[in-house]
């Protein structure tokens, strides 16, 4: 069989063109991923503010779902790339097949939650019957039909692990376009479809995820020649799964921390008003348009780092990290400028009323201050994962979101002024910057520099 060179070029191609050839398709695909929740919220906001608040309250579970899907996929991505860099194609195949099995197991867990836990979760956050009803309708559909989300995330990571980011982008395009088209049809009952309101938004989302998953499976089988499955690869392999989760579990935990943080923030803000919760939810959806391209950038960077880590090429690792940091900071500065200059325009996309505009403009201007330094932190966390130091990324996330952000928000809420709460975000980002700088220096001293010394000695 003719060997495909897509993976091996990660160790030889010029770094700038290589990074952006992998990252740009992933950045585009992650922008479309952001559209899933954003489009839902935009259309749901035209039902009522209660419906928008319900979708915001449901977000922690949706985020948890994505945490397991993407985190497992990140672990598979890094391990597959590292195995290919070492020339171990058999282990790369086993990792890919076991990744698909893990995606199926994760779906079963969320299916059970969808059957027995959704109502209790919504009841724990609000006593408003309208918000509860919309939240249960929306979240039940997302959980019961989460298989599409799990498989789509996994097959995308398999494509990007072997340098086929453009195919991963196609799967996102298919899913996002399906969601955009179906959202108004199912929410408002157009063209003879029943009016499903919040449940319709969820149904459009899962329909897009399933179509994206089918597309990704086809593209892997048809075009991903670096991975060749055989029936034996699908047997659970404890060693392979352990290697996947060495990177995957910290990634899952890191994103799951975001779910806990969001839940806690919702509880703090609901004490002021449901409008404050809606503003926080809208902020999260809008910032995904800034953060998601960075995740796409990281998805392009991680397999390059992992491959060259396996191939013992430290100079290529440092070069790609520097390029990624510069690009990430530039992207975040664009987001900062948009939030400072036109927050009212951004909020009006979500059908914001006068109260929401007044509260939201102040919130966006304060929160977006942390964008200035967040780009460096996001790239640094991905570097830790690619080098097999996922615990460092987890610690940064824990400190930022749980040990700094939530306590700071609670303390600031004691002032009785909801606008002071938003300052917790810049405060937490500064703490994250300090930790990322220390950990990155440690990785250079203990991983990159010794590798470079060995390479020089061998030469």
């Amino acid at each position: 069989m003719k060997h495909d060179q897509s993976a091996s070029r990660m160790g030889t191609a010029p770094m700038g063109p290589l990074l952006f050839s992998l990252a740009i398709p992933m950045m585009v695909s992650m922008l479309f991923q952001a559209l899933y929740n954003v489009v839902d919220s935009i259309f749901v906001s035209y039902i009522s503010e209660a419906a928008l608040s319900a979708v915001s309250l449901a977000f922690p579970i949706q985020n948890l779902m994505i945490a397991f899907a993407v985190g497992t996929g990140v672990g598979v991505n890094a391990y597959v790339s590292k195995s290919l860099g070492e020339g171990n194609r058999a282990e790369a195949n086993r990792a890919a097949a076991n990744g698909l099995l893990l995606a199926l197991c994760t779906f079963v867990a969320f299916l059970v939650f969808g059957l027995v836990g959704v109502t209790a979760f919504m009841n724990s956050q609000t006593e408003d019957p309208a918000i509860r009803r919309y939240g249960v309708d929306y979240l039940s559909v997302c959980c019961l039909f989460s298989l599409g989300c799990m498989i789509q995330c996994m097959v995308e990571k398999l494509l990007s692990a072997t340098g086929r980011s453009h195919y991963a982008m196609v799967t996102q395009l298919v899913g996002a376009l399906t969601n955009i088209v179906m959202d108004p049809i199912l929410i408002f009952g157009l063209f003879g479809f029943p009016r499903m309101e919040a449940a319709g938004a969820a149904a459009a989302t899962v329909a897009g995820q399933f179509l994206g998953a089918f597309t990704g499976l086809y593209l892997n089988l048809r075009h991903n020649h670096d991975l060749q499955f055989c029936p034996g690869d699908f047997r659970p392999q404890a060693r392979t799964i352990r290697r996947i989760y060495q990177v995957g579990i910290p990634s899952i935990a890191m994103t799951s921390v975001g779910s806990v943080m969001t839940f806690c923030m919702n509880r703090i803000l609901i004490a002021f008003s449901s409008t404050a919760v809606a503003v926080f939810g809208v902020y999260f959806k809008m910032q995904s348009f800034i953060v998601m391209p960075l995740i796409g950038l990281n998805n392009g960077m991680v397999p390059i780092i992992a491959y060259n880590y396996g191939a013992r090429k430290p100079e290529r690792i440092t070069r790609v990290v520097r390029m990624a940091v510069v690009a990430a900071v530039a992207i975040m500065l664009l987001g900062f400028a948009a939030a400072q200059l036109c927050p009212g325009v951004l909020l009006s996309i979500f059908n914001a009323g006068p109260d929401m505009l007044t509260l939201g403009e102040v919130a966006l201007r304060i929160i977006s201050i942390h964008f200035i330094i967040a780009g460096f932190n996001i790239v640094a966390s991905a570097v830790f994962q690619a080098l097999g130091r996922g615990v460092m990324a987890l610690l940064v996330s824990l400190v930022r979101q749980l040990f700094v952000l939530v306590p700071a928000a609670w303390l600031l809420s004691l002032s009785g002024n909801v606008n002071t709460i938003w300052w917790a975000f810049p405060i937490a980002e500064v703490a994250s910057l300090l930790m990322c700088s220390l950990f990155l220096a440690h990785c250079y001293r203990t991983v990159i520099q010794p590798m470079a010394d060995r390479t020089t000695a061998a030469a």
Side-chain angles (χ1 to χ4, degrees), residues 81-131:
S81 295
K82 185 173 183 291
S83 297
L84 291 173
E86 295 168 340
N88 191 348
R89 292 169 62 84
E91 183 62 14
N93 291 335
R94 281 191 292 272
N98 274 246
L100 290 169
L101 284 177
L102 294 171
L104 180 60
C105 293
T106 305
F107 156 67
V108 172
F110 281 97
L111 172 66
V112 172
F113 179 81
L115 292 171
V116 301
V118 168
T119 300
F121 175 77
M122 291 305 302
N123 288 345
S124 71
Q125 297 188 87
T126 180
E127 297 179 356
D128 187 305
I131 295 177

Side-chain angles (χ1 to χ4, degrees), residues 15-34:
M15 188 54 68
L18 174 63
L19 173 61
F20 291 106
S21 69
L22 295 178
I24 288 175
M26 293 304 298
M27 291 166 76
V28 173
S29 71
M30 294 308 291
L31 274 172
F32 278 94
Q33 174 70 28

